[in-house]
Amino acid sequence: MVAGARKDDGRLPALCGPRFVGRDRELDTLGSALERTPVVVLIDGEAGIGKTRLLREFLASAAERGRRALVGACLELRVPYTLGAVVDAVRDGVDNVAGLRLSGLGGALRPLFPEWADALPPAPEALEDATAARHRLFRAFVEILGRLDVVLLALEDVHWADEATLEFLLFLVSRRPQPVSLVLTFRRDEVPSASLLLRLASRLPSGTHLVRLTPEPLDVAETVSFVSSMLGGEYVSHEFASFLHARTEGVPLAVEESVRLMHDRADLIRRDGGWARRRLERIEVPPTIRDAMLERVQRLGPDTRTVLYAAAVLSGPVDIATLRAVTGLSEERFAAQAAEALGNGLLREDRQDRHGQWSFRHSLACDAVYDAIPAGERRAMHLRAGRTLERCFPAPVAQLARHFRLAGDVEAACRYTERASDLCVQSGDVATSALLLHSLVATVPLPAGALVGLVTRIQFQALSGADPYSAVIGALRSALAGQVLTPVERASVRFQVGRVLMVAGEIEAGRHEILTAMPDLPPGSAETARARVLLALPLGNARPVSEHLRWLREAPPLTQPVASLDRLRLSVERAFALLMLGEEAGWAAALEIPDEVQDPQEASVVAIGHTNVGEEATRWGRYEEARIRLGKARTLAERHQLLDYLDSIASSRAHLDWFTGAWSGLAERAARLVDDDGGVRLKDRCEAALVVGLLQAAAGDREAAKERLRFAGGDDQQRIEAAAVLAQLYLGDGEVDEALRLTDRLAEVVVGGGLWSRAVEFAPARTAALAAAGRIGPATDVVNALERALGDRDAPAPQASLVLCRAILAEADGRLTDAAALFARAADAWEALPRPYDALLARERSARCLLAKGREEDGLSLLSDVARGLSELGAHYDAGRIGRSLTAGGGAVLAVTRGRGRPGYGNRLSPRESEVVRLLVEGLTNRQIADALVVSAQTVASQVKSAMRKLDVTSRTALAVRVVESGLVVAPDPVVAPDPVAAPDPVAAPDLAVEPGLAVQPDRLPSGDE
C-alpha cells in the first residue's frame, strides 16, 4: 500500500467527466455522411458503449454550423399514443406553430398536440381507411419538419420504438427526395424478431445512402486516456488500466462507473507519479455496472438516495418540479440533494431542453437503482408519481396506469389501464393494448368483475413470448379461491379460466372448467354462446362429431345485448367450429367474415378468423381458398401492425406449401419458427416442426424426422397428423406394432367419432398398419367408417385419401389390378389439388402393383416417370430409392409384395431391409450403408436387427450367409481380374455394374453395429 495518494488536505481530488475518447473515426464518418444529401445513419451498439455520447458530440458540432436537428428518445415503457418519440422531438424543438403557415394537413396533428389546438388548422375530415389516415398524419409531420428547416431527425434507443414510429421512419426514407437525414441508435440484441427496424436496416429503397456505425469497446490505450481525463489528465499506470480494461471489457460506461466507485471508496492511490489502485489482486472491481451503481448509491445520504429513487420510479426524462413532488422532500432539502446527485454524475440535466429534463445517464443505472428501492417506499413513490402526473395535460395515461398499478391503487390502475388500452387501439397498436391489460391482470389482485372484463379484452395472440397465459390463469384461480362470489360471478370467472386454458392448448382442463361453469352462466348471454362454441370444437379427447354439433344446434338465441365486437367474434368462432366438424355450412358462415375492417380490435378478430378458415381449407383440400384466406390474414396483420399474428400465419402457410409442393426455401422458413422458442408460440412452433419433420422424412433422415414429429404432436391441432406420419415411418422400418400403437390411441377419435376432417393423413396410415398386421377386417371397417362420415362432401383431400385407403385394401387382398387402378385414381385426385408428393407416391405404388402382375413395361415406364417427378420436386431421397430399385441386380426390379400389401411383410424382409442387407453383404458398414441410403446409422442398425430377428440369426455374419443361401440376395460372382486390353463398354450404366464375388466372406464380415 502506498501512502500520500490524497491531496494536502487529505481528500482525494474531485473527478471530472470523461473526455470523448476513441471515437474520432466514428465522429468523422458521421460528419462526412451528413454533409451529403439526406442519409440514414444507424448506430448499433451494446448498452453503455457510447452511442448517446457519440450522437451528442456530433449534434453539438452540427449546432455550431447552424444545422437544425430534432432529437427524441424511445422509452422502454411503450406509450399508447402514435409516434411518441417523434412527437416529443417536435414538441421540444418548437414553442409554437402559429407562425409556420401550415397547410390543412396540419390539422391531422391536433390529437397529438392538444396544447397547440388554437394554432393548428381545423381537423380534416375523418378517413375510413386507417392506413390512409396514418399516411396523412405522416405527411403532416413531414410538412412541419420542412417548415422548421430541420435537416436531421435523431432518435435514440429505437429498439424500444413503437411500430407507428418505425412505420413513419420507413415512410420518410421512401420519399423522394428524402425530407431529412436520420440518425438512429439501437441495440441489435434487443430488436424484436418481427420489428420493422430490421426492414429499415436491410431493405432501404434503391438510391438511399446508408451508413452503419458500430462503436467498439475501448482498447487498453484508450482506457488509459479515458481514465486519465477523469483524474485531471494525470498519468494512469498501464497495470491499472489493463486490469480495469479486463474487468469492464472496455465498455465506456462500465469503465466510468468503476472509476467513480473506486474514487468513492478511496481505493485510488498515487504511485510512481501516477494513479493506480490498491492491491489489484485483492480488491475486485464489481463485475457489472449494476453492482457498481448499487454500491455507489449505498454510500450516499438518505435524502440523496430519495432523489435517485424518485428518478428511477419516474423512469424517463422528467422535469424538476415533478421529480421533487415524487421525492416528497421540501424544496430546500431537495435542492441540496439534487445538486449532489448531479455532482456525483448519477443524474444528468439536459440543458439543451428548455424544460430542463432530468434523467439517469443510462437506463442500466436507472434499473439498478429501481431494484434497490425498499418495497414500501417504492409503492409510496409510485402513488405520488401517479397523483402528480394526473395534473398534466395531456394526461400520460400509460404512465399513470403503470404508477397506480405498482402503487397498488386498484381502482385508478383499472381506470387508466382501460383508457390507455383504448388509446392504443385507436392508434392501431393492439399489441401495446394487450400488454397493458396483461400487466395489470398479472400483477394486481383485482375484484372478480373487473378481472373478467379485463381478461375478456386481452388479445393473447398480440402478446409476445411463449407463455402469456399462466399468469392470467393464476390470477383467475386466485379470484375463485379468495373472493366471496355469487354463483353467476363464480361461473363467469370459471368460464374465463376454461377459455384461457383452451387458448393455451390445455384442452381437456379448459373443457372441464367450461362445463362446470355452464349451469350458472346467464342464458342467452354472449358468454353462454361463446362457451357453447368452445365446447363444440373437436379438440383434445374429442367426442363423436354429433355430440360436438349438439352444442351449436341446441344453442338458445341471444336474448341479452351483445357488443358488435363480441358478435363478430362469435360469428368467426362458429364458422371455425363448423368447418372443423366437417359441416359444409361452415363455408357459408365463413363468407360472413369481412375482408376489410377499420377498427384494430375487429381487425385482430378477423385476422384470426381468416387464419383459422385457411387452416381448415387446407385440411379440406381447398388449397386456393386456403391461400386466399391466409393472404387476407397477413394483409390485415401487416396493415394494423398485428406483428405477433404473423408467426401463426407463417406456420399455416408453411403447412400449405408442404402439401402443394412449394418446397423452395420451406425448410429454412419452418426451421426459423421452430428454433425461436422465446418469441414464437408453442402451437406455431409445433406446426412448423411438423413441416420440418415431413421434409426430413422425404429427405430420408428418418430419425431426425421422428424427433420433430414427436415434438409437433405436443400440440392438439397437429397431434393426429404427426402420429399418422410417424406411423408411416415405422411401417417403412417394418415396425408394425409401433405403427399400430400410435394409431390405436387416436382411431376412436378420428374414425369412430366421424371426425373426417382430421382423417386425411390418419386413415391411410391406420389402414396400412392394420393391413400389415393381417387385420383386413378392421382395416375395411376404417375405410367404411370414413366413407360414411365423408359422404359426398366437397372435400377434395379427404376424398382422395378415401380412394388411397381403398387402394391399400385392394393391394392387401391381392387384387393387384384393382389396386393399381385405385392408386392411379388417388394420384389423379392428389394431383388435381395440387398435392404433387402424395400424387407421385401413389403412382409409385400403382407402378409396383403393375410390376407384380407382370406388366413390366408399363410398370418400369411409370416408375421412371415417378423418379423424375420426385427429383424435380426436390424429393431426392425417394427419387434415388426408386432409381436404385430400377437398377438393382443388373436391372431387375426388386420384388414387390403380393397379397397382403404394403407393408404386410410378417417374417419376410421389407424392401428397405432388403436394401440394407444387400449392401451389408457387399461389405459396407452401417455408416457406409447410411450414407448410401441417406438415412442415419441408427436407422440402419435398427433395420439390421429387425432382419436378424426375422431370419432367426444372432450375428451379421450369419445374416449375410442366410440371405445368400436363401436367395434373398444374389451373391456376386467371384472376382475376375479385368482384361488389361479390353476397353470399357461405353454404353454400360455405372449403376448397373455389380462387383463380382461376395465382397466380404462370412469370416471377414465386421461384427456388431459398426
Side-chain angles (χ1 to χ4, degrees):
M1 183 179 296
V2 180
R6 300 172 185 273
K7 285 191 171 183
D8 294 340
D9 60 6
R11 292 177 298 163
L12 285 168
L15 289 179
C16 305
R19 189 166 59 83
F20 190 53
V21 171
R23 299 287 183 255
D24 291 343
R25 180 185 62 82
E26 289 89 345
L27 193 59
D28 289 344
T29 301
L30 194 54
S32 299
L34 292 165
E35 287 295 334
R36 308 180 190 177
T37 55
V39 298
V40 176
V41 179
L42 303 178
I43 305 178
D44 166 24
E46 63 179 297
I49 200 67
K51 303 182 296 296
T52 296
R53 181 72 183 272
L54 173 62
L55 177 59
R56 290 180 182 277
E57 292 288 336
F58 169 76
L59 291 175
S61 64
E64 291 176 0
R65 297 194 299 273
R67 298 168 63 89
R68 185 166 192 182
L70 294 184
V71 184
C74 304
L75 303 181
E76 186 173 10
L77 175 64
R78 297 179 68 183
V79 293
Y81 55 89
T82 303
L83 300 163
V86 181
V87 168
D88 289 344
V90 172
R91 183 178 282 130
D92 291 341
V94 61
D95 289 320
N96 199 301
V97 295
L100 296 182
R101 294 178 297 169
L102 296 175
S103 71
L105 271 176
L109 299 171
R110 281 174 166 269
L112 303 179
F113 299 97
E115 68 272 29
W116 295 345
D118 293 339
L120 288 170
E125 181 181 353
L127 296 174
E128 292 185 2
D129 189 326
T131 302
R134 182 167 288 188
H135 280 215
R136 180 169 65 187
L137 183 61
F138 292 168
R139 294 198 305 275
F141 268 105
V142 169
E143 181 183 38
I144 200 170
L145 292 176
R147 294 285 196 270
L148 291 172
D149 292 326
V150 172
V151 297
L152 171 65
L153 175 62
L155 297 184
E156 296 189 73
D157 295 328
V158 185
H159 51 276
W160 287 330
D162 61 281
E163 295 301 328
T165 296
L166 294 175
E167 192 174 344
F168 176 61
L169 295 175
L170 285 170
F171 177 81
L172 286 178
V173 301
S174 68
R175 293 179 69 85
R176 288 295 176 270
Q178 185 177 319
V180 294
S181 290
L182 296 177
V183 178
L184 311 176
T185 73
F186 64 99
R187 304 176 202 163
R188 183 172 298 277
D189 58 351
E190 294 193 33
V191 177
S193 59
S195 173
L196 291 175
L197 180 57
L198 298 177
R199 186 185 305 175
L200 182 70
S202 61
R203 294 190 297 204
L204 288 173
S206 60
T208 301
H209 185 54
L210 173 66
V211 175
R212 297 177 184 268
L213 292 176
T214 306
E216 299 292 334
L218 304 176
D219 59 26
V220 175
E222 291 166 343
T223 302
V224 169
S225 178
F226 187 91
V227 176
S228 175
S229 71
M230 296 182 68
L231 297 170
E234 297 193 30
Y235 171 74
V236 174
S237 72
H238 189 273
E239 181 186 19
F240 172 41
S242 298
F243 168 79
L244 191 57
H245 181 271
R247 301 302 299 170
T248 62
E249 299 184 349
V251 176
L253 181 63
V255 174
E256 180 182 356
E257 293 301 328
S258 297
V259 171
R260 290 186 181 278
L261 171 62
M262 289 184 281
H263 178 274
D264 291 350
R265 296 192 309 195
D267 195 25
L268 296 175
I269 62 172
R270 194 184 299 276
R271 177 187 291 138
D272 299 328
W275 287 102
R277 186 168 184 235
R278 304 172 189 270
R279 301 186 186 184
L280 294 178
E281 76 285 358
R282 293 288 302 278
I283 304 175
E284 290 292 321
V285 174
T288 65
I289 300 172
R290 184 181 296 270
D291 292 340
M293 177 60 62
L294 291 180
E295 190 165 349
R296 287 184 64 196
V297 169
Q298 293 307 313
R299 292 179 177 275
L300 300 173
D303 283 355
T304 306
R305 285 202 300 270
T306 296
V307 174
L308 294 173
Y309 290 169
V313 163
L314 288 163
S315 182
V318 62
D319 63 87
I320 192 73
T322 301
L323 181 61
R324 186 183 69 77
V326 175
T327 65
L329 297 173
S330 67
E331 190 168 347
E332 295 76 14
R333 289 171 62 190
F334 172 78
Q337 305 312 319
E340 182 180 351
L342 281 177
N344 280 323
L346 295 168
L347 296 181
R348 65 182 172 93
E349 181 181 13
D350 188 352
R351 297 184 182 278
Q352 296 181 355
D353 189 298
R354 67 182 187 278
H355 301 296
Q357 300 281 298
W358 287 44
S359 63
F360 280 90
R361 296 185 60 256
H362 199 281
S363 61
L364 292 177
C366 180
D367 293 343
V369 172
Y370 184 83
D371 290 342
I373 306 173
E377 190 171 355
R378 184 188 303 165
R379 285 194 296 273
M381 283 190 166
H382 276 297
L383 186 58
R384 286 199 293 270
R387 290 173 176 170
T388 301
L389 293 173
E390 276 187 309
R391 296 193 290 269
C392 294
F393 179 80
V397 288
Q399 295 179 48
L400 288 167
R402 170 179 173 265
H403 287 305
F404 284 119
R405 172 171 59 83
L406 295 174
D409 187 332
V410 173
E411 188 278 328
C414 288
R415 184 172 71 254
Y416 283 113
T417 296
E418 292 192 275
R419 284 181 59 186
S421 174
D422 290 340
L423 284 172
C424 288
V425 171
Q426 290 170 20
S427 63
D429 193 353
V430 175
T432 301
S433 170
L435 179 64
L436 288 166
L437 296 169
H438 186 275
S439 297
L440 180 61
V441 166
T443 59
V444 178
L446 300 170
L451 179 61
V452 167
L454 291 168
V455 171
T456 302
R457 294 181 56 180
I458 296 175
Q459 295 283 345
F460 285 97
Q461 192 73 20
L463 290 168
S464 58
D467 179 20
Y469 313 105
S470 296
V472 174
I473 293 169
L476 291 163
R477 290 197 188 280
S478 295
L480 284 174
Q483 297 183 30
V484 178
L485 305 174
T486 67
V488 172
E489 289 173 333
R490 182 169 294 276
S492 184
V493 175
R494 193 176 294 281
F495 165 67
Q496 291 301 327
V497 173
R499 181 182 70 84
V500 179
L501 281 169
M502 291 190 74
V503 173
E506 298 184 42
I507 304 300
E508 288 306 310
R511 190 193 303 275
H512 172 75
E513 296 287 352
I514 294 175
L515 284 169
T516 304
M518 277 294 290
D520 293 317
L521 288 175
S525 67
E527 275 185 318
T528 301
R530 197 170 187 199
R532 283 183 164 276
V533 170
L534 292 175
L535 291 171
L537 294 174
L539 303 172
N541 300 327
R543 286 72 176 160
V545 166
S546 58
E547 183 177 327
H548 287 284
L549 277 171
R550 190 166 64 249
W551 286 108
L552 296 179
R553 290 173 175 165
E554 297 178 3
L558 290 170
T559 58
Q560 297 185 10
V562 179
S564 60
L565 182 64
D566 290 333
R567 193 174 293 277
L568 175 64
R569 185 181 286 114
L570 279 170
S571 173
V572 165
E573 291 177 348
R574 185 174 183 276
F576 180 44
L578 287 169
L579 290 174
M580 286 189 75
L581 293 167
E583 292 295 302
E584 289 188 312
W587 295 111
L591 289 175
E592 297 177 8
I593 301 175
D595 294 340
E596 296 287 344
V597 288
Q598 302 306 320
D599 179 75
Q601 286 185 308
E602 291 184 353
S604 172
V605 173
V606 171
I608 293 172
H610 283 307
T611 303
N612 289 341
V613 173
E615 290 177 356
E616 290 309 306
T618 298
R619 298 184 193 280
W620 283 57
R622 299 185 177 192
Y623 294 151
E624 182 60 18
E625 174 81 11
R627 185 188 63 77
I628 292 171
R629 292 284 181 169
L630 293 175
K632 290 177 179 179
R634 183 177 182 85
T635 298
L636 279 169
E638 290 178 340
R639 178 175 300 162
H640 292 273
Q641 300 302 298
L642 306 171
L643 301 183
D644 291 297
Y645 289 42
L646 296 177
D647 292 334
S648 292
I649 298 167
S651 63
S652 297
R653 182 57 196 251
H655 205 167
L656 175 63
D657 288 346
W658 155 260
F659 287 130
T660 60
W663 290 5
S664 178
L666 179 58
E668 293 77 11
R669 283 190 283 131
R672 279 197 295 271
L673 292 168
V674 176
D675 295 339
D676 188 357
D677 58 355
V680 178
R681 301 286 165 78
L682 178 61
K683 85 171 205 58
D684 300 325
R685 292 179 62 220
C686 287
E687 185 167 22
L690 175 64
V691 175
V692 172
L694 289 164
L695 288 166
Q696 289 172 330
D701 194 353
R702 304 167 77 83
E703 295 308 313
K706 289 174 183 177
E707 182 179 348
R708 290 295 196 187
L709 292 166
R710 291 189 191 100
F711 176 78
D715 176 63
D716 189 83
Q717 292 275 50
Q718 314 307 327
R719 64 180 181 137
I720 295 174
E721 184 177 347
V725 180
L726 273 170
Q728 294 284 19
L729 288 174
Y730 281 112
L731 286 173
D733 293 338
E735 298 185 41
V736 177
D737 290 343
E738 183 62 17
L740 283 171
R741 185 189 68 81
L742 282 167
T743 55
D744 277 345
R745 293 179 297 178
L746 296 169
E748 185 58 33
V749 172
V750 181
V751 180
L755 192 61
W756 61 261
S757 66
R758 296 297 185 269
V760 177
E761 287 72 38
F762 183 85
R766 178 66 175 171
T767 303
L770 290 168
R775 298 167 58 186
I776 300 302
T780 303
D781 292 342
V782 169
V783 179
N784 291 338
L786 175 59
E787 185 173 18
R788 285 194 301 272
L790 183 57
D792 59 355
R793 287 180 175 84
D794 183 13
Q799 295 288 4
S801 177
L802 177 59
V803 177
L804 179 62
C805 290
R806 289 172 177 153
I808 294 169
L809 276 181
E811 185 182 23
D813 270 340
R815 295 181 286 111
L816 297 180
T817 300
D818 292 343
L822 286 168
F823 280 126
R825 274 184 55 199
D828 290 341
W830 291 129
E831 211 165 72
L833 289 177
R835 195 156 156 172
Y837 185 58
D838 289 285
L840 289 164
L841 294 183
R843 292 201 190 284
E844 177 193 356
R845 298 187 69 172
S846 178
R848 293 189 183 277
C849 289
L850 293 174
L851 290 170
K853 287 294 292 182
R855 295 172 57 183
E856 289 197 4
E857 184 176 351
D858 293 339
L860 289 173
S861 175
L862 183 54
L863 270 185
S864 297
D865 291 342
V866 169
R868 185 162 48 251
L870 288 167
S871 180
E872 292 171 355
L873 179 63
H876 300 296
Y877 168 77
D878 290 295
R881 173 178 56 76
I882 293 174
R884 287 190 295 275
S885 73
L886 285 168
T887 59
V893 179
L894 291 177
V896 293
T897 305
R898 296 173 184 267
R900 305 232 179 260
R902 182 186 185 271
Y905 305 113
N907 287 328
R908 291 175 292 128
L909 300 186
S910 70
R912 175 56 56 78
E913 291 164 346
S914 297
E915 286 183 279
V916 169
V917 171
R918 177 177 61 79
L919 295 173
L920 181 148
V921 169
E922 292 180 7
L924 275 65
T925 66
N926 281 6
R927 171 54 58 194
Q928 291 168 329
I929 296 172
D931 292 341
L933 299 182
V934 200
V935 296
S936 69
Q938 183 178 351
T939 297
V940 172
S942 173
Q943 290 160 347
V944 170
K945 289 179 182 177
S946 177
M948 290 165 58
R949 175 180 57 78
K950 288 180 178 181
L951 298 182
D952 196 24
V953 296
T954 58
S955 70
R956 292 164 63 94
T957 300
L959 176 62
V961 173
R962 178 67 57 85
V963 296
V964 171
E965 288 178 347
S966 62
L968 295 174
V969 172
V970 178
D973 295 331
V975 175
V976 178
D979 183 351
V981 181
D985 182 359
V987 179
D991 287 341
L992 297 180
V994 178
E995 186 69 17
L998 188 63
V1000 181
Q1001 297 296 333
D1003 60 348
R1004 294 172 55 200
L1005 279 171
S1007 61
D1009 292 335
E1010 180 179 335

